[in-house]
Each structure stands twice: as C-alpha cells, then as structure tokens.
C-alpha cells in the first residue's frame, strides 16, 4: 500500500513537472525576438572607414573640390561608388545619385563663373512612414587650388562628408537586418556652400520630396578638429539651432547624448546675438528658414580654417567618430519616434 502511494505521488509530481517544462517551452518560443536598435547600430560607425574615405575625399587628387570642378566630380564619383558597394540606393523618384545644380542658378546672386555642379543624394526608405523625410546634410565642396596649393578641406567639410557616408551605411545595415528607420532618410551632400549655401538653397527650392513632409535636417559642417576654446579636450560639439523651432528636437539632442555619446554639448554659438552668426552660415539654414526643425553640429574654427593646411593628418579621428555617432543618434531618434517633431516656435 505504501509503495503504491509513493509511486502515485511520483507520477503526479512528474506530470506537473512535465506540464511546467512544456509551459516554459511555449513561453520561450512565444517571446519576441530581441529588438535591435540604436544601441546596436551606433557601434557600426567605423573609425577606419571614416579615415579611409577622408584620405581620398581630402586628397590632392580631388584638387580642393571647388564647386563644379573636375576634382569635386572625382570626389562625388568616389562617394557614389561607396554607396553602390554598400547597397545604398539613390532616392525614389530620382534617376540617379545626382541632382544637377545649373550654372545659371549658382551664378545668379553674384557671377563667379561657376560651371554646372551637382548635389549628391542617397536614400534609405522608411518602413512605416516612408513619406516623412529626415534630411542629413553636409557640403562636399571646398575652395579648390590657390596659387598652386591644394586646399584639401579635410575638416571643412571633408569631415562632414565622410560622416554622412558612414551614417548611410549604418542605416542601410539596420534596414537590411529588419530594423530600418520608420521614416525615410535622405542623405544630402550639397555643393556650392562655400559660395553662398547654393546647393542647399537649390534643393530647398527644388525639393525631391515636399518640404511639408520634411521632418528635420541634421546638418554637419566641420566635426574633425578642436578649436582654441577646447584645447584640453576634443570631447565636445557645438550644437546650434536645435531649440529655435522645436522643443522636441532640442530634447532629442540632449537625451541621446546623455544615453549614448556623453559629449560636452556647447551652446556658445546658439545665441542669436552671437556676432559669428554661424546659424545663418551653413546649409541647415535653407531648411530652417522654411520652418523645418534643424540642428547644426560644428567643432568651431581653428588656425587651419580655409587654409591649405587643413589636412587629413590633423584630423582627430576619435572625435570625428564620436561626433558622427552623435549625429546618427539624433537622426535615428527623429526617424523612429512615434510622432513627427512638433514645430512649436518661430525662427
């Protein structure tokens, strides 16, 4: 009798253990897959890729990338080949990677005899709200050759140019792995900045996607060096314009930095009364003046600004990498948040 009771008890225990194991198995198989996000893809920003690309973009072969020059076109072809190699396409609705900016437009304000030039664009289509566009911009022109010297423009704005290239690949990788941005990303390399923000102005007046559907512009112009106000550390970035039109944009710029990059966000040049007027001097302004929330990331000027000595050898690649990651984080959050940025201020 005792043996029978013990056997029955063991069978009952075994039954319940088996049920629990089955439940655990069902629970585990029904759990969602890990949701890869910003924390994963921000780390795909590669210092070595930034270095390799900048070494060519700011080489003597590209002859200072003067607007419309043969050297600038070489740089453009290099960028496009990079996008093709990494599976990043040109935008839907475009026939290729170029937006032609005619000479008549470039010379309309003051005739500098500039030839036809091109903006260059790449595109990562959004998964949920593809019609809403997040622009990430940087100018890829510089000032060319003067008195036989090549002005390579490694920081201005070779640094921003290669940052965009790296960010495009990170977004494309996320998309390829099923974690792409909800909104579309337009990578926009603009021409003619050094002559008066012409390329970004041309895009704003001839947009591929309606400006009303353009959610924000994250603009990068010089992020590879440090200025005299930060001699002891390159762990900073000037943030300009983030709060001019949208509290949401300002909050994003603050929050992603606290969580991911921990840079010293310097707002010195964000003051509208600042005599340098940097807010009005880079390509984001042609978006901002159309009511599009925009932020300009900048390392400040230095002794080699607009000189032949702005060389790749002086780029601080640790800073360039971290600042590229910061720009990527801002764009990622804008592209993936539930609601588009609210414009709650006037510029």
């Amino acid at each position: 009798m005792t043996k029978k009771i013990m056997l029955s008890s063991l069978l009952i225990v075994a039954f319940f253990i088996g049920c629990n194991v089955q439940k655990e198995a069902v629970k585990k198989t029904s759990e969602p897959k890990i949701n890869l996000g910003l924390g994963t893809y921000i780390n795909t920003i590669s210092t070595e890729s930034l270095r390799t690309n900048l070494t060519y973009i700011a080489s003597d072969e590209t002859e200072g990338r003067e607007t419309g020059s043969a050297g600038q076109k070489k740089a453009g072809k290099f960028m496009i080949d990079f996008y093709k190699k990494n599976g990043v396409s040109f935008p839907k609705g475009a026939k290729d990677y170029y937006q032609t900016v005619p000479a008549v437009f470039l010379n309309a304000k003051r005739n500098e005899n500039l030839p036809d030039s091109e903006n260059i664009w790449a595109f990562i289509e959004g998964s949920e709200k593809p019609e809403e566009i997040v622009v990430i911009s940087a100018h890829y022109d510089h000032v060319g050759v003067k008195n036989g010297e090549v002005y390579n423009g490694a920081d201005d704005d070779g640094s921003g140019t290669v940052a965009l290239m790296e960010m495009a690949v990170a977004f494309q990788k996320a998309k390829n792995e099923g974690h792409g941005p909800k909104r579309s990303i337009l990578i926009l390399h603009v021409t003619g900045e050094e002559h008066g923000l012409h390329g970004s102005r041309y895009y704003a007046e001839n947009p591929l996607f309606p400006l009303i559907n353009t959610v924000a512009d994250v603009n990068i112009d010089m992020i590879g060096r440090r200025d005299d106000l930060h001699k002891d550390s390159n762990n900073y970035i000037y943030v300009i314009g983030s709060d001019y039109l949208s509290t949401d944009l300002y909050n994003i710029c603050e929050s992603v930095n606290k969580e991911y990059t921990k840079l010293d966000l310097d707002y010195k040049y964000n003051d509208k009364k600042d005599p340098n007027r940097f807010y009005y001097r880079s390509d984001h302004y042609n978006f901002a003046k159309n009511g599009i929330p925009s932020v300009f990331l900048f390392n400040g000027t230095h002794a080699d600004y607009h000189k032949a000595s702005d060389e790749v050898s002086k780029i601080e690649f640790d800073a360039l990498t971290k600042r590229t990651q910061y720009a990527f984080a801002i764009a990622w959050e804008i592209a993936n948040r539930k609601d588009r940025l609210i414009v709650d201020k006037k510029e």
Side-chain angles (χ1 to χ4, degrees):
M1 185 71 174
T2 306
K3 287 182 180 177
K4 284 182 180 178
I5 291 170
M6 287 178 65
L7 183 60
S8 297
S9 298
L10 287 169
L11 288 171
I12 290 167
V13 170
F15 172 77
F16 280 111
I17 289 172
C19 286
N20 285 338
V21 168
Q22 246 184 342
K23 284 178 183 176
E24 282 299 311
V26 170
K27 185 179 177 184
K28 283 179 181 177
T29 55
S30 63
E31 284 177 353
K33 293 180 180 179
I34 295 172
N35 183 19
L36 299 178
L38 176 52
T40 299
Y41 295 104
I42 195 172
N43 291 316
T44 67
I45 304 294
S46 164
T47 301
E48 286 313 303
S49 182
L50 288 165
R51 187 190 304 275
T52 297
N53 290 334
L54 186 57
T55 298
Y56 180 79
I57 292 292
S59 68
D60 286 353
E61 188 173 340
T62 61
E63 301 172 323
R65 308 186 306 281
E66 172 65 289
T67 299
S69 68
Q72 189 195 41
K73 293 179 190 301
K74 285 181 182 178
K77 184 178 184 305
F78 177 85
M79 291 148 55
I80 291 168
D81 287 345
F82 176 83
Y83 288 135
K84 288 178 178 177
K85 179 182 175 183
N86 287 281
V88 184
S89 183
F90 53 83
K92 283 191 169 182
K95 60 181 174 49
D96 55 28
Y97 290 91
Y98 294 107
Q99 182 187 35
T100 299
V101 183
V104 65
F105 183 90
L106 292 168
N107 295 300
K109 287 197 170 183
R110 55 180 186 271
N111 188 4
E112 297 180 274
N113 294 314
L114 296 170
D116 289 350
S117 190
E118 304 86 20
N119 292 332
I120 290 175
W121 46 30
F123 190 67
I124 298 90
E125 186 173 26
S127 59
E128 294 183 17
K129 300 180 179 183
E131 74 286 353
E132 293 187 12
I133 309 297
V134 179
V135 176
I136 310 175
S137 61
H139 72 93
Y140 75 108
D141 63 309
H142 194 51
V143 298
V145 180
K146 296 182 179 182
N147 300 318
E149 280 192 287
V150 179
Y151 284 55
N152 295 117
D155 193 25
D156 185 15
D157 186 26
S159 60
T161 300
V162 298
L164 262 60
M165 295 165 71
E166 200 65 17
M167 291 161 66
V169 170
F171 274 115
Q172 187 64 53
K173 180 176 174 61
K175 184 176 177 65
N176 293 347
E177 295 177 358
H179 306 287
K182 293 177 182 178
R183 294 175 177 84
S184 296
I185 304 292
L186 177 65
I187 301 292
L188 187 62
H189 299 273
V190 292
T191 188
E193 190 270 356
E194 300 287 4
H195 292 277
L197 313 183
H198 294 326
S200 55
R201 183 167 56 89
Y202 187 81
Y203 179 84
E205 294 178 14
N206 302 273
L208 183 61
F209 303 101
L211 292 186
I212 196 170
N213 290 344
T214 301
V215 173
D217 175 41
V218 179
N219 184 54
I220 305 171
D221 194 348
M222 299 174 60
I223 59 167
R225 298 278 298 273
R226 73 179 79 184
D227 66 4
D228 287 341
L229 298 177
H230 299 85
K231 288 180 178 179
D232 296 330
S233 174
N234 61 22
N235 192 53
Y236 76 94
I237 192 72
Y238 290 111
V239 180
I240 303 172
S242 65
D243 62 343
Y244 279 21
L245 291 168
S246 174
T247 304
D248 286 342
L249 178 56
Y250 170 80
N251 288 338
I252 286 172
C253 292
E254 284 284 321
S255 63
V256 297
N257 181 61
K258 286 175 183 173
E259 186 167 356
Y260 295 102
T261 46
K262 297 176 172 58
L263 290 159
D264 175 16
L265 304 186
D266 194 328
Y267 290 95
K268 173 180 172 58
Y269 297 126
N270 194 55
D271 186 346
K272 291 184 181 180
K273 296 178 182 178
D274 182 79
N276 293 286
R277 292 176 58 81
F278 286 126
Y279 178 72
Y280 306 95
R281 290 171 53 185
S282 194
D283 292 295
H284 63 281
Y285 184 64
N286 282 314
F287 292 93
K289 73 181 186 182
N290 283 289
I292 296 167
S294 303
V295 59
F296 170 26
L297 304 179
F298 177 50
N299 57 214
T301 58
H302 43 70
D304 301 305
Y305 175 65
H306 277 200
K307 293 183 179 177
S309 50
D310 183 5
E311 298 279 3
V312 175
S313 61
K314 296 181 179 179
I315 294 294
E316 299 181 55
F317 282 95
D318 58 338
L320 175 54
T321 302
K322 198 169 187 180
R323 292 162 180 167
T324 302
Q325 290 175 328
Y326 177 51
F328 177 75
I330 294 169
W332 179 282
E333 286 298 302
I334 296 169
N336 286 292
R337 72 197 309 265
K338 181 182 176 183
D339 300 313
R340 68 180 287 171
L341 299 180
I342 295 173
V343 179
D344 57 353
K345 300 179 181 182
K346 290 185 178 180
E347 191 273 313

